[in-house]
Amino acid sequence: MSDEILSIIPAKGTSKALPNKNIYPLCDRSLVCWTIDASLQSQHVTRTIVSSDSDRILEIAAASGADTLKRPAELATDAASSESVLSHVLDYLSATEGYRPDVLLLLQPTSPLRTADDIDQVVRLYYESGASAVISGYEPNHNPLKDCLVAPDGTLRSILNDDHPFMPRQQLPRAFRPNGAIYLIKADLFLSTHRLLTDNTVPFYMDRRRSIDIDTLDDLLAAEDYFNNHFVDTQTVARDQAKFAGQLHDPCNRPRQTKA
């Protein structure tokens, strides 16, 4: 395909729950590097750029082969949205280079178990389905439609339908929980709406075990445990790492382990 597909990886320098989260070591590599590698190894992504307020993160990203962009301080706060960061990158590239991608990918560095193959499957799904956007996630064990909201007056309200909390789960609409790993959208549509969820967005289902979104040390340890104990499930990661490094190796630099 000839479309220009831009991958943006937002990686701010601060984090409350896990300090320096985006460069915290996961299997002896900085967390952000797993996402950079997945993007660079994709067969369809044509450009990868890391947006950060941290000079250290930008140095690591550049050494890993990604383009980099220093973001302003106001886009590095807890209140700053992912959409505002994406808009900053797109506006900057358009103003300085005249660069306008056809397709936009948002890859969050807190999803290290997403692979290049996942990204390529999302791109193919986008083109084959005719959708305007794709979001990765999984089907939760518990359907949120069976929950209730607490109104300001302290009474309970259903989320959508008063019958849903009491219906058998098999009769409920299928639920989907975004996992933060991959967001894809037609670039022109994003620029006009500044939204990642459109009226024609389709889901890309990932294994719940690989849907870890790292926010705490426990999350990071769970991701490392996955690498250590599910090596059979990380063959794609290992293959892609081999292409990148020129030799086959365990992505954790440890003896291979398989799970029966």
Side-chain angles (χ1 to χ4, degrees), residues 95-117:
T96 61
E97 303 178 15
Y99 176 84
R100 296 177 179 83
D102 300 292
V103 178
L104 176 64
L105 276 165
L106 165 62
L107 304 178
Q108 299 188 128
T110 49
S111 298
L113 303 184
R114 164 248 299 110
T115 67
D117 185 61

Side-chain angles (χ1 to χ4, degrees), residues 10-15 18-24 30-33 57 109-110:
K12 68 177 184 176
T14 58
S15 176
L18 186 61
N20 300 311
K21 175 174 64 178
N22 286 318
I23 55 174
Y24 205 93
S30 295
L31 179 62
V32 69
C33 290
I57 290 176
T110 49

Side-chain angles (χ1 to χ4, degrees), residues 4-10 38-39 42 44-49 86 89-90 101-108 114 116 118-120 122-123 126 134-135 181-187 190 196:
E4 188 70 19
I5 301 178
L6 172 66
S7 164
I8 298 178
I9 303 171
S39 181
S42 163
H44 301 304
V45 172
T46 55
R47 187 172 185 180
T48 299
I49 187 165
L86 298 179
V89 174
L90 292 172
D102 300 292
V103 178
L104 176 64
L105 276 165
L106 165 62
L107 304 178
Q108 299 188 128
R114 164 248 299 110
D118 291 322
I119 296 170
D120 288 338
V122 165
V123 172
Y126 166 73
V134 183
I135 294 177
I182 307 172
Y183 296 87
L184 179 151
I185 186 169
K186 185 176 181 180
F190 175 80
L196 294 167

Side-chain angles (χ1 to χ4, degrees), residues 48-52 57-63 66-70 92:
T48 299
I49 187 165
V50 173
S51 165
S52 181
I57 290 176
L58 295 176
E59 289 173 3
I60 291 173
D67 291 343
T68 61
L69 177 61
K70 185 74 173 283
Y92 176 86

